[in-house]
Amino acid sequence: MSQHYYSQQPEARHDRRTIDTVLRGKSLRFTSDAGVFSKGDIDHGSRVLIEAMEVPDGSAVLDVGCGYGPIGISAAVLAPKGHVTMIDINARAVQLARENAQNNGIRNVTVMESDVLAAVQGRKFDVILTNPPIRAGKTVVHQIFEQAYEHLNEGGTLWIVIQKKQGAPSAVAKLESLFPVVEEVGKDKGYRIIRAHKTIE
């Protein structure tokens, strides 16, 4: 099986490119590369999530599977008094996310290499965001959901984007087994935005 963006050390030859875009009204420039997710442009699912997500200022935010950084960097723009931790298993993506945060003048972020949520063990967040790595398989995606629940503060929210044809129904069923409140809050071109609340008991 050939490597994909979920590989820890991509072997694809470098093919760096620049993406100029506007997210949540802010002009941003990203550098992408071969061996990372959606290298040619920011994928539609991530764009839909970015436009829908609610990130209160001052929040502690976690972006799981950050790629080269569009979701986490957008969250940092929305919450300038907060802090965004961005994690990805892909070492090349992590380096790009660091570069992109720096080049866009985003200081309230930390980017770390992490297998699922291993690098943030023991930490809690107010908002967790993910465009989950579907190609890594259902087991990994469901592991992200389980660990996200453990790493959310009471009253916190998990936001995910997933295509209906790529397992949205089973993802929702898994989330409903973990979270007391699970809502579909948006959809566009087959993508579903799901928000799960960890409500205060």
Side-chain angles (χ1 to χ4, degrees), residues 111-134:
V111 189
M112 298 188 292
E113 196 174 319
S114 180
D115 186 0
V116 197
L117 276 69
V120 293
Q121 202 64 35
R123 292 177 56 190
K124 297 272 190 176
F125 300 90
D126 304 307
V127 179
I128 298 180
L129 309 163
T130 187
N131 183 349
I134 300 301

Side-chain angles (χ1 to χ4, degrees), residues 101-195:
Q102 184 172 10
N103 292 341
N104 284 288
I106 306 298
R107 302 282 175 257
N108 56 326
V109 297
T110 303
V111 189
M112 298 188 292
E113 196 174 319
S114 180
D115 186 0
V116 197
L117 276 69
V120 293
Q121 202 64 35
R123 292 177 56 190
K124 297 272 190 176
F125 300 90
D126 304 307
V127 179
I128 298 180
L129 309 163
T130 187
N131 183 349
I134 300 301
R135 289 187 208 169
K138 186 184 288 188
T139 300
V140 171
V141 173
H142 286 187
Q143 193 179 4
I144 289 171
F145 297 164
E146 290 165 0
Q147 293 187 15
Y149 180 84
E150 295 166 9
H151 285 78
L152 271 175
N153 286 318
E154 294 294 330
T157 52
L158 168 66
W159 293 77
I160 74 163
V161 59
I162 193 164
Q163 276 186 293
K164 186 174 183 181
K165 67 182 181 183
Q166 289 186 325
S170 69
V172 170
K174 178 64 177 179
L175 290 168
E176 287 176 339
S177 75
L178 297 165
F179 290 85
V181 180
V182 178
E183 309 163 284
E184 181 180 297
V185 294
K187 57 185 177 181
D188 187 10
K189 295 182 181 175
Y191 288 92
R192 300 288 191 269
I193 303 296
I194 311 296
R195 178 176 60 196

Side-chain angles (χ1 to χ4, degrees), residues 6-183:
Y6 200 69
S7 303
Q8 188 169 7
Q9 295 288 345
E11 293 173 359
R13 293 178 63 178
H14 287 286
D15 179 23
R16 289 167 68 94
R17 57 187 69 190
T18 300
I19 300 165
D20 288 305
T21 191
V22 177
L23 299 171
R24 294 296 284 260
K26 183 172 176 64
S27 295
L28 295 165
R29 171 171 285 186
F30 294 94
T31 300
S32 73
D33 199 352
V36 301
F37 176 61
S38 195
K39 68 177 181 181
D41 196 6
I42 296 162
D43 70 292
H44 190 69
S46 291
R47 288 183 180 275
V48 174
L49 176 58
I50 289 164
E51 293 305 317
M53 65 193 189
E54 296 169 6
V55 185
D57 201 1
S59 298
V61 183
L62 179 65
D63 175 9
V64 181
C66 65
Y68 51 81
I71 295 171
I73 288 171
S74 296
V77 171
L78 292 173
K81 295 177 184 173
H83 191 86
V84 181
T85 302
M86 300 161 62
I87 57 175
D88 202 296
I89 194 171
N90 183 322
R92 189 176 291 182
V94 166
Q95 183 56 41
L96 287 166
R98 286 184 182 137
E99 284 181 35
N100 288 327
Q102 184 172 10
N103 292 341
N104 284 288
I106 306 298
R107 302 282 175 257
N108 56 326
V109 297
T110 303
V111 189
M112 298 188 292
E113 196 174 319
S114 180
D115 186 0
V116 197
L117 276 69
V120 293
Q121 202 64 35
R123 292 177 56 190
K124 297 272 190 176
F125 300 90
D126 304 307
V127 179
I128 298 180
L129 309 163
T130 187
N131 183 349
I134 300 301
R135 289 187 208 169
K138 186 184 288 188
T139 300
V140 171
V141 173
H142 286 187
Q143 193 179 4
I144 289 171
F145 297 164
E146 290 165 0
Q147 293 187 15
Y149 180 84
E150 295 166 9
H151 285 78
L152 271 175
N153 286 318
E154 294 294 330
T157 52
L158 168 66
W159 293 77
I160 74 163
V161 59
I162 193 164
Q163 276 186 293
K164 186 174 183 181
K165 67 182 181 183
Q166 289 186 325
S170 69
V172 170
K174 178 64 177 179
L175 290 168
E176 287 176 339
S177 75
L178 297 165
F179 290 85
V181 180
V182 178
E183 309 163 284

